[in-house]
mmCIF file of all heavy atoms in Angstrom:
data_model
loop_
_atom_site.group_PDB
_atom_site.id
_atom_site.type_symbol
_atom_site.label_atom_id
_atom_site.label_comp_id
_atom_site.label_asym_id
_atom_site.label_seq_id
_atom_site.Cartn_x
_atom_site.Cartn_y
_atom_site.Cartn_z
ATOM 1 N N CYS H 658 -15.695 -11.801 3.185
ATOM 2 C CA CYS H 658 -15.614 -10.384 2.934
ATOM 3 C C CYS H 658 -16.559 -10.074 1.720
ATOM 4 O O CYS H 658 -16.541 -10.763 0.735
ATOM 5 C CB CYS H 658 -14.142 -10.006 2.548
ATOM 6 S SG CYS H 658 -13.887 -8.456 1.822
ATOM 7 N N CYS H 663 -12.374 -5.126 -2.902
ATOM 8 C CA CYS H 663 -11.307 -5.859 -2.282
ATOM 9 C C CYS H 663 -10.482 -6.565 -3.320
ATOM 10 O O CYS H 663 -11.018 -7.259 -4.246
ATOM 11 C CB CYS H 663 -11.909 -6.831 -1.267
ATOM 12 S SG CYS H 663 -10.724 -7.918 -0.574
ATOM 13 N N HIS H 666 -11.260 -10.522 -2.740
ATOM 14 C CA HIS H 666 -12.612 -11.115 -2.818
ATOM 15 C C HIS H 666 -13.481 -10.303 -3.855
ATOM 16 O O HIS H 666 -14.524 -10.811 -4.217
ATOM 17 C CB HIS H 666 -13.326 -11.008 -1.462
ATOM 18 C CG HIS H 666 -12.477 -11.580 -0.330
ATOM 19 N ND1 HIS H 666 -11.751 -10.821 0.491
ATOM 20 C CD2 HIS H 666 -12.245 -12.916 -0.052
ATOM 21 C CE1 HIS H 666 -11.134 -11.629 1.331
ATOM 22 N NE2 HIS H 666 -11.381 -12.872 1.029
ATOM 23 N N CYS H 719 -11.206 -7.297 5.409
ATOM 24 C CA CYS H 719 -10.389 -8.532 5.524
ATOM 25 C C CYS H 719 -8.912 -8.213 5.759
ATOM 26 O O CYS H 719 -8.223 -9.064 6.366
ATOM 27 C CB CYS H 719 -10.602 -9.416 4.305
ATOM 28 S SG CYS H 719 -10.062 -8.691 2.814
HETATM 29 ZN ZN1 ZN I 1053 -11.701 -9.003 1.170
#
Side-chain angles (χ1 to χ4, degrees):
C658 167
C663 174
H666 310 101
C719 60

